[in-house]
Every structure is written in C-alpha cells, then in structure tokens.
Amino acid sequence: MEIMEQYLSINKYSRPGKKLSECRAIILHWVGKPMQKAIDVWKWFEHECPDAQHYSSAHYIIDLDGKVMHAVPDDEVAYHCGSTKPDLKSGLIYTDWAREKFGRYVQDPERNSPNNCTIGIELCVIDWQGNFRNETIDAAIKLTSLLLEQKHLCCDDIGTHAKVTGWKDCPKLWYDHPELFDKFKQKVMAISKVQGKA
C-alpha cells in the first residue's frame, strides 16, 4: 500500500486545522463520481469547497489504482460525516448506531458532530453502482486495518457514511448490498490484530 502525504491547505471548509477530540471509528465513503481520480477529489476539497463555501473533506482518498492520498492529518478534523437531516428509520438526527457509538458528539448536531471523533476514507469507484476496483478495495482493507491498530479500535468501529446518518447512500455499493460491507469487515479482521465482530 502506497500512501502519499499531500495535506490540504488550512481553510474553513475542508481543513479547519481543529484537533480531533479522540478517535472512535473509521468511516468509509465513495466519491460519488465514476472514474474520478484521487487527485481530482483532492482538488475539489482544496479549491471548490472553499470557493463554494461547502464543508467537505476526508482524511484519506484511495485511488482507482490503490494508491492512497493522505489529505488531512489523522489528528485533525475532516468534514465527512456530519448531518442535520433525520435518519429515515429513527426520525432523529443520526442513526441509533451513531448515537450509541458517538454519544456526546451527536447530542447537539448544531454544535458538535461525529467529525470530531472519526477518520474518514473516500474510495474512488468505476461506475454509478459504486463498484470498486480490486486495487482500491485491497488498499482500503490494509489502510482500515492499519488505522484500527494505530487508534486501538476494533472491527465494530468500522462504519459507513450511511451507517452514521441513515439517509446518505454512501458508499452506494454497500448501501445497496450491506452483505458486501460485512465481507469487507471480515477481510479487515482477517489481516489485522484487532478484535471485534465482523
């Protein structure tokens, strides 16, 4: 797994420079545009988000070829899983899973969010169904395993954007086929030293 460190510039909309309070989970996403390369996602965070005054970023972006771009330091906040919309199932802001896992970080969505206690990973995709290349998935398995070990987390602490908000179909492939996300977690657990259910 090749990781290239290319941090975003400090700015209000994609890299606020604020320190993470702690790390409670690793959250996975899809970039939402087929065949988009990691550098293009990085440029969007770097230029388009500030220009449009749009809050969005992630700590890591995994390219179509499996190369990993490190865009925000692990000890800083990235804007990847905050929400002000209600979960479709509970009717509350954030899912039951998120409210249980993140506690105080979801109790006042206007002032706090899971962005303050999570690391976000964006995965590049090959089509609108959200399918990944093997290289992308292999790198995601390795990176997620590494982060779990570094942050002293377990496989129960791997989530998706959809699992946090309840309304966002992200990553789309795993939103439509949750069994594939379960297989992903099993593969992470198979190569890591961490414990927990897959």
Side-chain angles (χ1 to χ4, degrees):
M1 178 180 58
E2 181 181 340
I3 300 178
M4 181 179 69
E5 201 172 88
Q6 187 168 331
Y7 293 148
L8 299 168
S9 302
I10 299 279
N11 72 86
K12 180 179 177 180
Y13 298 99
S14 59
R15 187 188 166 196
K18 179 183 173 186
K19 294 296 182 183
L20 275 187
S21 299
E22 59 181 310
C23 185
R24 293 193 181 186
I26 310 301
I27 306 300
L28 292 112
H29 307 258
W30 73 316
V31 300
K33 184 177 179 183
M35 303 307 290
Q36 190 172 32
K37 295 185 178 294
I39 188 62
D40 296 320
V41 178
W42 186 94
K43 287 177 181 176
W44 187 73
F45 291 151
E46 176 74 5
H47 303 293
E48 301 300 322
C49 289
D51 288 350
Q53 298 183 356
H54 175 76
Y55 294 94
S56 185
S57 57
H59 294 86
Y60 295 91
I61 309 159
I62 303 181
D63 216 332
L64 297 165
D65 61 3
K67 291 179 183 173
V68 179
M69 183 171 284
H70 196 181
V72 175
D74 292 357
D75 65 347
E76 289 184 19
V77 170
Y79 293 130
H80 63 99
C81 65
S83 182
T84 55
K85 291 183 181 180
D87 163 35
L88 300 175
K89 188 174 180 182
S90 70
L92 301 172
I93 306 297
Y94 300 112
T95 61
D96 291 342
W97 179 84
R99 282 183 282 108
E100 180 180 341
K101 182 160 290 294
F102 303 131
R104 64 188 175 94
Y105 297 101
V106 298
Q107 291 169 0
D108 185 356
E110 295 295 324
R111 297 184 181 172
N112 209 346
S113 85
N115 289 325
N116 293 311
C117 64
T118 56
I119 289 177
I121 303 174
E122 291 274 1
L123 281 68
C124 293
V125 296
I126 59 173
D127 56 32
W128 288 111
Q129 288 71 46
N131 286 295
F132 309 108
R133 283 189 176 159
N134 290 337
E135 294 89 343
T136 304
I137 282 294
D138 289 346
I141 291 165
K142 291 173 185 172
L143 178 60
T144 302
S145 175
L146 176 67
L147 290 169
L148 291 179
E149 291 174 17
Q150 289 177 347
K151 304 303 176 185
H152 308 289
L153 300 174
C154 69
C155 283
D156 295 333
D157 302 319
I158 306 171
T160 63
H161 197 173
K163 195 167 183 177
V164 174
T165 66
W167 57 267
K168 185 84 171 175
D169 63 344
C170 173
K172 181 166 175 52
L173 182 69
W174 295 340
Y175 182 85
D176 293 339
H177 303 282
E179 72 280 4
L180 296 179
F181 180 58
D182 291 338
K183 286 183 180 178
F184 172 83
K185 289 192 292 181
Q186 288 166 5
K187 289 179 180 179
V188 171
M189 197 159 92
I191 69 161
S192 80
K193 301 170 186 173
V194 302
Q195 301 299 311
K197 292 181 254 178

